[in-house]
Amino acid sequence: MHFVSFTMASLSEEVLLVVKKVRQKKQDGTLYLMAERIAWGPEGKDRFTVSHSYSDIRCQKISPDGKAKVQLQLVLHTGESTTFHFANESTSRKDWEAAKELLQQLLPKFKKKANKELEEKNKMLQEDPVLFQLYKDLVVSQVISAEEFWANRLGGINNGESAACENKQEVGISGAFLADIRPQTDGCNGLRYNLTADIIESIFRTYPAVKQKYKENVPHNLTEKEFWTRFFQSHYFHRDRISTGTQDIFSECARQDEKGLKSLVTQGVKNPMVDLLSLEDKTLDEGYGISSALPSTSHASRTVKESSNFAIIKRFNHHSAMVLAAGSRKRDVPADQASETSSTDGNSRDSDFFQPPLKKVKLQEAIEYEDLQQENRPKTVALNLKKSDRYAHGPVPLQSQQYTTSQDIINSVNYIKHEMSNYKPNLTQVLSSAAASSAIAALSPGGVLMQQVAQQAINQMVPTEIQAELKHLYVAAGELLRHFWTCFPVNTAFLEEKVTKMKSNLERFQITKLRPFQEKIQRQYLSTNLTGHLECMLQAAYSKFHIWQTRRMMRKT
Amino acid sequence: MHGENTQLHAERPQPICRMVFYTFISSEGEISLLVVVVDVNPIWWGQHAQSEPEFTLSKCLDAVMVMGNAHMAMTRTNQLAVIAAHCQDSHFLYPSKRLKGNDDTSSSRDGKYELLSVTNNLIAEEIRDIMSKTELTGNSTDTLLAGSLAKALCYINRISKEVGVAQEIKSRILVIKAADDCALQYMNFMNVIFAAQKQNILIDACVLDSDSGLLQQACDITGGLYLKIPQKVALAQYLLWVFLPDSEQRSLLVLPPPAHVDYRAACFCHRTLIEIGYVCSVCLSIFCNFSPICTTCETAFKIQLPQMVKPKKKKPKLPA
């Protein structure tokens, strides 16, 4: 909270609104709304005890209508909030409204583009715990500065913004939006319709005629409330649209809808493969299909019930067509009816543009398969292997070849033939006890064949916290080393500076992070060398730096 | 639970001596198929039989038979197959085509479980047959191991299809290897290994003489066990202890740990194993030394010389 003590006289700001008898923290005072800030001073004093510039205010909160206490709360970006209580008995509500309106107008102008970068950074840190840990390890403990940390990471915030916008999907229109306006009885012979902004928007998107009417009439002729009341009262909205010819602003809309529907019907379906006419109802009740009763289409022969059904079905069809049309229209195209050229909308004027013979295209699509066609791949160079048998060969074993003479071979084969010619399985003499015991001894833990089992896996010997800490150390060291090694080859002065700085960073890292860790594991009597590899990496970096430095010296001398 | 081996007796009420029992509980109706591939290279066996008379091919086959019997005796649904890998061909010892022929000669005189005695006799007959038909061609002295493994895979595939989709069948291959590796079979071997891996078939290896890099790779890739036996005489014990339990049961036992496998590639020019080498980006052939033209596909390589005036040695970051 700023405690700014300006004297009133030195104020050169333009005062937009003064509200007396405003209490803040149980103190009476006056609220001043200026061009760039809002301030409050206690009664009788010259100074402002509370002053906030509009750019600091994140939002304002108001107490609900019914409450006796009329309050206004300002929430700052930092999270603090200040509450003002309008205590003037007679004019409190009016004052409060005036203040609220003024703030509503002023705040958006000053709204600081809440530092997008900061938000981006925060988001990145929140999403990636590894990054967050790295940040904590390196920046919070002052090993490297924040700019260096973010140097390579933030690339293209603006690109990110636009990409995010492009990925946003458009929200479609619910087909049942009219049904959502569930009317409730008011208790005294009236109906209460709940209209939300979403429903209003859906109505405007689906029925551009209504939007047009709205633009024409509100706020010149009718208020918004009156407009919607008329809308719901008119027959246009109701189920049975009987065009009674009353001077209803919506009767024109009804006529437009009729025209649109007719044009839709004449347009027909674009897909030549779909035959809608075959979907007519065919009843077999009269004459069992033999006698042909012509379905009557003239209005006169219809019964009252039939005609109302007819009307409602027509309404449904039209409504669905409008919803689909609105959904396929782009959101940001201004809904100017004259410029609409979408031919799927029944209300559009120009729907006769040239269409290629669709049927032919459809048939073509159905016959041809893309992958059976001749492939038009770019020309490639064939692989020309001269010695392909090289692949078939594995590594030649390194043992010395045992040269056997053919005589040896003949002898061996004869011997084995002789032996096996009299082979009879003798399963009772397969194994002697001595042999079996020695084999068992070799296979038991500690035996000849079981030597490695005694060695425990290293990850079972080291506690998990130490493992986790080691992982963090590796990540941090990796990050620093990456910065270090990317400096080479050192071409520019900036890189020279950077490489020197990185070397000092590495040393600092070693002292502040690595040494304590090593001491810690020593204290815990862990004999394994966990940090040997880290030390090795750091040493390699140091020696490289040293070589570079000596070379530089040699060049200078 | 591990005792000495004796004969396995049948269910007839007769005095039963010490038996070998494995009281593992396997799931109901699950078929376990064991295919044993025995290396019966006559040259190797003939040579070694002369130098070590206490362990001959007969003894080896006896040990295999004991293990086969034990496997079949554990559960009714267990199945066995034995393939002999010769240097001329690979041959099924069991089940063999003679199975359908003779019923009278298979009656056992010692009250053994019928199936076991039939199996043993068949194996003996077949091996006698094979060895008597050995002919010396002189060209090939290497065991046709890759071919035998392929036959084993085909057999397993056939049996899996015969039992149908509803029946679960788990198969593994046990290779008992005597002679040395044949480098010419490398490609076929690797294909067999990957096929087995795809089909979830374990390949175990019991090596009698010298270590085999190919079998080590096979066992590592498919998840089987590789063991080089210190004493050939105790082969039966090793087979029963290490290779008889199937993969589920192995996780409950303490068995020899897996050996370190050398996966280094061999360079195409000298066929020596290398750790760091040069790879042609066109034909992916590996060389140990740099040459401006790849000798396999004859691609010329362009090297960009550093454009800096002062050549600074760019030290690559050490691998983390």
Side-chain angles (χ1 to χ4, degrees), chain A residues 184-192:
Chain A
Q184 299 154 347
T185 48
D186 217 341
C188 39
N189 253 355
L191 286 174
R192 200 185 157 80

Side-chain angles (χ1 to χ4, degrees), chain A residues 237-417:
Chain A
F237 178 70
H238 280 270
R239 197 176 67 135
D240 311 314
R241 268 197 206 165
I242 310 159
S243 43
T244 52
T246 53
Q247 278 309 312
D248 195 354
I249 49 173
F250 294 104
S251 48
E252 199 194 319
C253 297
R255 281 198 285 276
Q256 268 184 349
D257 283 348
E258 284 275 343
K259 260 198 289 178
L261 201 59
K262 281 213 173 57
S263 73
L264 255 184
V265 171
T266 50
Q267 254 182 36
V269 182
K270 276 219 197 119
N271 190 350
M273 307 299 230
V274 172
D275 184 14
L276 275 181
L277 294 178
S278 63
L279 295 174
E280 273 202 48
D281 295 332
K282 289 186 180 73
T283 55
L284 285 181
D285 45 5
E286 298 283 329
Y288 297 98
I290 301 173
S291 71
S292 53
L294 286 164
S296 60
T297 50
S298 60
H299 282 249
S301 59
R302 280 173 192 260
T303 60
V304 173
K305 185 158 175 257
E306 266 187 32
S307 65
S308 66
N309 287 345
F310 182 69
I312 199 173
I313 290 175
K314 204 163 77 159
R315 271 294 299 286
F316 278 148
N317 285 339
H318 180 68
H319 178 74
S320 311
M322 299 295 278
V323 169
L324 284 176
S328 56
R329 235 180 281 139
K330 282 291 174 196
R331 195 178 241 267
D332 42 9
V333 170
D336 184 17
Q337 239 183 335
S339 70
E340 269 169 6
T341 50
S342 77
S343 57
T344 50
D345 179 8
N347 275 347
S348 69
R349 318 275 160 83
D350 315 273
S351 56
D352 50 345
F353 50 79
F354 177 70
Q355 289 176 11
L358 268 175
K359 193 157 186 178
K360 197 167 180 186
V361 172
K362 290 271 176 195
L363 284 173
Q364 198 82 358
E365 274 175 16
I367 305 173
E368 291 175 348
Y369 284 106
E370 228 177 69
D371 29 354
L372 294 180
Q373 304 281 14
Q374 190 79 21
E375 284 193 49
N376 292 330
R377 273 194 294 204
K379 284 212 171 241
T380 52
V381 182
L383 187 61
N384 180 19
L385 293 175
K386 291 277 182 267
K387 298 181 189 167
S388 53
D389 53 312
R390 279 179 171 184
Y391 295 97
H393 220 46
V396 170
L398 290 170
Q399 51 241 71
S400 53
Q401 287 286 3
Q402 288 167 330
Y403 290 102
T404 47
T405 63
S406 21
Q407 193 54 45
D408 269 342
I409 295 177
I410 297 170
N411 286 348
S412 313
V413 172
N414 287 337
Y415 187 91
I416 200 76
K417 268 188 182 177

Side-chain angles (χ1 to χ4, degrees), chain A residues 386 391 393 417 419 423, chain B residues 58 128 134 231 271 283 296:
Chain A
K386 291 277 182 267
Y391 295 97
H393 220 46
K417 268 188 182 177
E419 181 200 324
Y423 171 60
Chain B
S58 327
R128 283 198 293 264
T134 310
Q231 296 166 281
R271 308 230 67 86
C283 61
T296 318

Side-chain angles (χ1 to χ4, degrees), chain A residues 60-113:
Chain A
Q60 59 165 337
K61 291 192 185 165
I62 54 178
S63 54
D65 275 351
K67 266 186 133 181
K69 236 177 157 189
V70 185
Q71 285 183 322
L72 180 77
Q73 189 182 46
L74 299 173
V75 184
L76 305 178
H77 281 300
T78 51
E80 290 170 27
S81 62
T82 324
T83 316
F84 297 106
H85 173 47
F86 292 79
N88 197 333
E89 300 87 23
S90 49
T91 58
S92 63
R93 196 135 276 267
K94 209 164 47 129
D95 293 336
W96 174 78
E97 290 240 6
K100 183 176 66 122
E101 297 283 343
L102 198 56
L103 271 177
Q104 253 181 351
Q105 288 170 24
L106 290 169
L107 278 181
K109 290 190 208 161
F110 290 89
K111 210 174 179 118
K112 216 196 284 184
K113 289 215 162 152

Side-chain angles (χ1 to χ4, degrees), chain B residues 6 17 21 23-24 51 61 84 101 174 193 205 236 257 287 302-304:
Chain B
T6 53
C17 303
F21 263 126
T23 56
F24 295 113
S51 51
L61 285 169
L174 167 64
I193 293 171
F287 300 103
K302 288 188 211 154
I303 300 262
Q304 275 184 339

Side-chain angles (χ1 to χ4, degrees), chain A residues 66-254:
Chain A
K67 266 186 133 181
K69 236 177 157 189
V70 185
Q71 285 183 322
L72 180 77
Q73 189 182 46
L74 299 173
V75 184
L76 305 178
H77 281 300
T78 51
E80 290 170 27
S81 62
T82 324
T83 316
F84 297 106
H85 173 47
F86 292 79
N88 197 333
E89 300 87 23
S90 49
T91 58
S92 63
R93 196 135 276 267
K94 209 164 47 129
D95 293 336
W96 174 78
E97 290 240 6
K100 183 176 66 122
E101 297 283 343
L102 198 56
L103 271 177
Q104 253 181 351
Q105 288 170 24
L106 290 169
L107 278 181
K109 290 190 208 161
F110 290 89
K111 210 174 179 118
K112 216 196 284 184
K113 289 215 162 152
N115 200 353
K116 279 271 171 162
E117 276 198 38
L118 207 59
E119 267 187 26
E120 181 83 22
K121 285 180 192 173
N122 279 338
K123 199 165 66 131
M124 277 178 73
L125 285 180
Q126 271 170 19
E127 280 171 3
D128 188 1
V130 177
L131 193 67
F132 188 51
Q133 184 65 37
L134 191 62
Y135 186 79
K136 272 202 291 196
D137 281 341
L138 294 178
V139 179
V140 176
S141 55
Q142 306 277 328
V143 178
I144 63 173
S145 72
E147 298 113 33
E148 285 173 356
F149 182 77
W150 289 111
N152 294 343
R153 292 213 155 85
L154 279 182
I157 299 173
N158 296 328
N159 300 343
E161 247 189 282
S162 54
C165 289
E166 280 164 23
N167 290 342
K168 267 194 235 168
Q169 276 187 323
E170 289 180 10
V171 180
I173 307 173
S174 153
F177 64 82
L178 283 180
D180 284 338
I181 317 173
R182 265 165 252 124
Q184 299 154 347
T185 48
D186 217 341
C188 39
N189 253 355
L191 286 174
R192 200 185 157 80
Y193 288 88
N194 279 330
L195 267 187
T196 63
D198 276 340
I199 298 179
I200 292 179
E201 202 189 310
S202 309
I203 295 177
F204 284 162
R205 273 176 82 181
T206 317
Y207 295 105
V210 177
K211 188 166 185 179
Q212 186 77 0
K213 289 287 172 189
Y214 181 83
K215 273 206 239 179
E216 284 168 10
N217 289 315
V218 174
H220 325 286
N221 301 344
L222 308 160
T223 63
E224 204 174 326
K225 205 166 169 181
E226 282 176 22
F227 178 80
W228 289 115
T229 324
R230 289 258 201 120
F231 177 76
F232 287 123
Q233 280 172 353
S234 81
H235 281 290
Y236 179 71
F237 178 70
H238 280 270
R239 197 176 67 135
D240 311 314
R241 268 197 206 165
I242 310 159
S243 43
T244 52
T246 53
Q247 278 309 312
D248 195 354
I249 49 173
F250 294 104
S251 48
E252 199 194 319
C253 297

